[in-house]
Amino acid sequence: AVATAANRTWIGGAADWDSSNANWNPADEPDSDDIAIFNTSNTVDLAIASQTIAGLTMSGGIRLDT
């Protein structure tokens, strides 16, 4: 079987990317088999020490601080 990554879109506004599922649509924080999508003009701080994702899409003026 072929596995495909699931898209998880940030809806958390200008906030910390922590372990909250509420900041994502659908409500599930991206992990190693998901694509994290940021498409707004917010600043998001990566607030957890380590995050593994399958892919990253950034557009709309997003700023992702690590």
Side-chain angles (χ1 to χ4, degrees):
V2 175
T4 58
N7 291 335
R8 307 289 181 216
T9 303
W10 178 261
I11 57 170
D16 290 342
W17 177 355
D18 52 20
S19 297
S20 174
N21 289 332
N23 291 329
W24 299 95
N25 183 27
D28 183 21
E29 180 188 16
D31 53 30
S32 62
D33 60 350
D34 298 321
I35 297 172
I37 300 172
F38 295 89
N39 58 9
T40 62
S41 60
N42 295 305
T43 297
V44 176
D45 294 319
L46 184 58
I48 48 183
S50 176
Q51 183 67 26
T52 301
I53 55 176
L56 175 64
T57 300
M58 297 171 57
S59 64
I62 188 73
R63 176 179 167 171
L64 181 60
D65 291 336
T66 56

